[in-house]
Amino acid sequence: MAEAETLETMQPNPAWDAASYPDVVDTLAAADYTFKVWGGDWCGDCRGQLPDFAAALDAAGVPAERIDHYPVEKADDGSKVGPLVEEYDIELIPTVVVELDGEEVARFVEEEDVPIAVYLAERLSN
């Protein structure tokens, strides 16, 4: 398996208000989920969305060893290049895949109209 690196955009946003999202925080903390995050520090969507998601994971007490960062670059044709991009069919970033016991249980892809943490919590609580 590819070794995870670090995305600067996954530094938690200190202004994110966990008290406004108690159900989201509880859901993210509810199981031993692994969060696989594909993004690029160069990507505007990633810079806008990932710091709040990182803050939600932090508020949920998710340990760093269960958060894998996969920095992605953009090829000349617009496709994404990076660790496990083909294996996980990554086309847009940010993409977050949530796994439980090695199985994918939820996926956020850039285009959703709600914050990453909210979107994933809704899917994980169903």
Side-chain angles (χ1 to χ4, degrees):
M1 176 158 296
E3 186 173 323
E5 298 176 37
T6 301
L7 287 164
E8 290 299 317
T9 50
M10 281 296 290
Q11 292 297 315
N13 176 1
W16 192 79
D17 181 21
S20 295
Y21 299 93
D23 294 340
V24 168
V25 171
D26 289 348
T27 300
L28 295 177
D32 288 338
Y33 298 119
T34 298
F35 298 88
K36 296 181 178 294
V37 182
W38 283 265
D41 293 334
W42 52 268
C43 168
D45 288 326
C46 297
R47 289 193 311 267
Q49 298 178 54
L50 290 177
D52 285 352
F53 178 58
L57 293 177
D58 191 48
V62 176
E65 58 269 11
R66 288 199 283 121
I67 306 168
D68 297 330
H69 301 203
Y70 299 105
V72 174
E73 296 298 327
K74 190 187 308 187
D76 291 340
D77 65 359
S79 65
K80 305 304 183 281
V81 179
L84 301 177
V85 164
E86 290 183 17
E87 294 85 342
Y88 280 85
D89 196 28
I90 305 302
E91 295 180 7
L92 300 171
I93 57 174
T95 292
V96 179
V97 173
V98 183
E99 293 181 347
L100 183 61
D101 300 325
E103 298 292 322
E104 182 173 326
V105 293
R107 179 181 288 232
F108 171 92
V109 178
E110 168 200 32
E111 304 171 313
E112 303 303 336
D113 59 357
V114 296
I116 299 171
V118 172
Y119 181 88
L120 291 174
E122 286 173 355
R123 268 116 202 106
L124 294 171
S125 62
N126 290 335

